[in-house]
């Protein structure tokens, strides 16, 4: 495996529409150590793979007249969102939809693959990974939102891992979540490695008393280490200025945590100014150099949309 580990963020999503079989298989071909599915829940309780429960951005549902009346407004983690939502569709209905590129203005070449691929289930992604001998890094999206809808994500997730024999500490799985409560509860049920996600701003939705800034202090990291094995940090928390890292990696390692960083993307639009090449937001900048700096800081894993540029 690479050092740091290469986690293909939604597959090779820089080159194929995210969360599709094509994106995952390309990532594996390019040398990814893990593939990453984001998990939401269908109306009939099946874990499916989408970036958000709002599926209008990443599927062709808006072009399907039979589903036009399901467009609605909901509040997800305190934010109003308008669109079509996975929890309003059965798995059979979701399987009729086809994936499309989420960032067509930055990744126009990916639109050539629009309309080809169906939505995958979590089980399908586990099958892809097992066949290739790579790990899986699933992220539980909005579990506190789904629970009161009668869609307990944690129960469905644990049941899936149990069926697959993936509940041990050596399982090739890293379970991610921005919320704290679900990870604490999962630790009581499974030994599978857990990763607490933290962003630069804000805090976990289920802990309004807690900020991400507090979570990445030595005291906060020590608390995370009581239930998780990893911290997954926004790159800005590790390197706010190119070449000038914070103490986060060292402090996390001192607490006994491994550190993953998200998300490494090649396009100038996602890079700090010093790593850009030219002025075109869609053009590729110096991703390899950026990854090399983070590796030098002691990073344990990198989430990237471009595993082909990250793998050694």
């Amino acid at each position: 495996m690479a050092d740091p580990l290469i986690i293909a963020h939604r597959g090779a999503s820089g080159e194929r529409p995210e969360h599709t079989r094509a994106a995952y298989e390309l990532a594996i071909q390019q040398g990814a150590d893990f593939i990453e599915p984001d998990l939401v829940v269908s109306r009939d309780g099946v874990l499916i793979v989408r970036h958000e429960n709002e599926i209008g951005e990443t599927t062709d549902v808006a072009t399907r007249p039979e589903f036009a009346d399901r467009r609605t407004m909901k509040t997800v983690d305190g934010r109003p969102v308008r669109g079509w939502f996975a929890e309003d569709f059965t798995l059979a209905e979701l399987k009729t939809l086809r994936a499309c590129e989420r960032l067509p203005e930055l990744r126009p070449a990916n639109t050539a693959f629009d309309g080809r691929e169906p939505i995958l289930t979590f089980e399908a992604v586990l099958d892809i990974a097992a066949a290739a001998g790579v790990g899986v890094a699933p992220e539980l999206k909005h579990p506190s939102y789904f629970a009161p809808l009668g869609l307990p994500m944690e129960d469905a997730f644990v049941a899936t891992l149990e069926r697959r024999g993936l509940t041990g500490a050596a399982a090739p799985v890293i379970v991610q979540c921005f919320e704290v409560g679900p990870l604490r509860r999962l630790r009581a049920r499974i030994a599978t490695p857990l990763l607490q996600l933290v962003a630069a701003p804000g805090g976990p939705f289920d802990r309004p008393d807690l900020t991400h800034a507090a979570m990445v202090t030595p005291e906060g990291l020590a608390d995370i280490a009581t239930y998780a094995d990893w911290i997954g940090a926004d790159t800005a928390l590790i390197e706010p200025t190119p070449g000038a890292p914070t103490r986060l990696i060292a402090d996390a390692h001192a607490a006994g945590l491994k550190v993953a960083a998200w998300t490494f993307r090649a396009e100038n639009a996602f890079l700090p100014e010093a790593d850009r090449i030219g002025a075109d937001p869609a053009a590729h900048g110096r991703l390899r150099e950026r990854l090399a700096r983070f590796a030098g800081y002691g990073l344990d894993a990198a989430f990237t949309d471009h595993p082909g540029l990250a793998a050694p």
Side-chain angles (χ1 to χ4, degrees):
M1 289 189 173
D3 185 16
L5 295 175
I6 300 304
I7 303 175
H9 185 243
R10 311 173 197 167
S13 53
E15 298 180 66
R16 299 290 186 275
E18 63 188 38
H19 291 315
T20 58
R21 178 176 292 274
Y24 290 124
E25 291 181 344
L26 179 59
I28 291 165
Q29 292 169 18
Q30 292 177 338
D33 300 299
F34 281 73
I35 55 177
E36 191 238 15
D38 293 328
L39 304 183
V40 297
V41 190
S42 70
R43 189 170 71 193
D44 40 356
V46 180
L47 294 171
I48 65 156
V49 178
R50 286 289 91 192
H51 170 50
E52 291 289 344
N53 56 320
E54 197 292 300
I55 58 175
E57 273 195 324
T58 60
T59 74
D60 63 355
V61 66
T63 70
R64 301 297 184 92
E66 67 270 32
F67 299 133
D69 62 349
R70 299 204 199 171
R71 187 169 189 259
T72 188
M73 175 76 80
K74 299 193 180 192
T75 301
V76 182
D77 289 1
R79 296 184 305 106
V81 182
R82 181 176 294 279
W84 291 262
F85 295 83
E87 65 269 20
D88 295 333
F89 293 76
T90 65
L91 178 62
E93 290 172 328
L94 290 167
K95 282 182 173 290
T96 69
L97 303 177
R98 291 297 177 266
C100 60
E101 173 56 39
R102 187 173 63 90
L103 300 171
E105 69 285 357
L106 293 176
R107 297 169 177 172
N110 290 9
T111 62
F113 302 93
D114 285 359
R116 297 187 185 184
E117 301 256 1
I119 290 176
L120 295 174
T121 63
F122 179 39
E123 293 267 15
V125 176
L126 289 173
D127 287 341
I128 293 168
V134 301
V136 181
E139 180 184 346
L140 305 184
K141 304 293 294 239
H142 315 300
S144 292
Y145 167 85
F146 284 110
L149 301 180
L151 297 169
M153 175 178 279
E154 294 161 48
D155 290 345
F157 182 73
V158 171
T160 302
L161 295 189
E162 287 176 341
R163 283 196 305 272
R164 311 282 300 220
L166 296 172
T167 58
V173 177
I174 302 172
V175 184
Q176 314 169 67
C177 193
F178 273 102
E179 295 183 22
V180 174
L183 290 177
R184 287 189 177 276
R185 291 188 293 271
L186 286 172
R187 175 49 74 228
R189 302 175 69 177
I190 59 176
T192 313
L194 305 180
L195 181 151
Q196 177 68 63
L197 289 164
V198 290
F205 176 74
D206 67 327
R207 287 288 305 275
D209 61 314
L210 189 61
T211 65
H212 289 137
M215 294 173 77
V216 298
T217 63
E219 296 76 17
L221 293 166
D223 183 60
I224 291 171
T226 65
Y227 62 89
D229 309 279
W230 291 75
I231 186 167
D234 185 334
T235 55
L237 291 170
I238 296 170
E239 190 196 60
T241 302
T246 66
R247 286 194 49 80
L248 178 54
I249 291 179
D251 289 344
H253 286 168
L257 294 165
K258 294 181 180 179
V259 183
W262 55 270
T263 302
F264 292 93
R265 296 177 166 111
E267 293 90 358
N268 283 331
F270 301 112
L271 292 170
E273 187 173 354
D275 290 326
R276 297 172 191 163
I277 298 175
D280 181 358
H284 286 196
R286 301 179 183 90
L287 176 61
R288 286 185 182 274
E289 291 86 343
R290 190 172 196 221
L291 281 163
R293 289 199 308 271
F294 275 75
Y297 304 151
L299 188 70
D300 298 293
F303 288 91
T304 179
D305 291 9
H306 297 85
L309 297 177

